[in-house]
């Protein structure tokens, strides 16, 4: 089992920044990726960004140039720096941890991000 603890959500005005953190613990995988998904009310959960433990990153088109994902492998922690936030970024953000060698993946409990106009 893998446990994920998220932090850093909140209420912010459009144009400002927030940083999300997610720490993983438990039976971790040697080859893994950590990432973020989000779900707005009435919408399906969607991919935001992820990063492998080797540093390979992927971003959704909607956040490219505004969000930056990074990780500290020594702390098993992933960060999402969100700049130039827009009201449409409002959602519950979920941390995801997955094996790169199997279909195993785990989810955090979610953290609310609200961007006011």
């Amino acid at each position: 089992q893998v446990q994920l603890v998220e932090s850093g959500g909140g209420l912010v005005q459009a144009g400002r920044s927030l940083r999300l953190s997610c720490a993983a613990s438990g039976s971790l995988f040697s080859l893994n990726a950590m990432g973020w998904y989000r779900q707005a009310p009435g919408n399906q959960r969607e991919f935001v960004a992820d990063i492998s433990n080797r540093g390979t990153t992927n971003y959704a088109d909607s956040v490219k140039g505004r969000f930056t994902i990074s990780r500290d492998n020594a702390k098993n922690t992933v960060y999402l720096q969100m700049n130039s936030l827009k009201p449409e970024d409002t959602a519950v953000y979920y941390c995801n941890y997955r094996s790169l060698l199997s279909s195993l993946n785990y989810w955090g409990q979610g953290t609310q991000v609200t961007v006011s106009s």
Side-chain angles (χ1 to χ4, degrees), residues 5 10 12-13 16 21-22 26-27 36 49 62 65 68-72 83-84 88 92 94 97 105-106:
V5 178
V12 67
Q13 288 185 325
R16 304 298 292 269
S21 301
C22 173
S27 301
W36 296 91
S62 59
T68 302
I69 192 167
S70 61
R71 63 185 289 168
D72 183 335
N83 298 331
S84 302
E88 51 263 44
V92 177
Y94 295 91
Y97 178 91
N105 76 105
Y106 297 88

Side-chain angles (χ1 to χ4, degrees), residues 39-52:
Q39 187 168 18
N43 291 355
Q44 291 186 331
R45 191 173 298 188
E46 64 176 9
F47 171 78
V48 176
D50 69 6
I51 182 169
S52 73

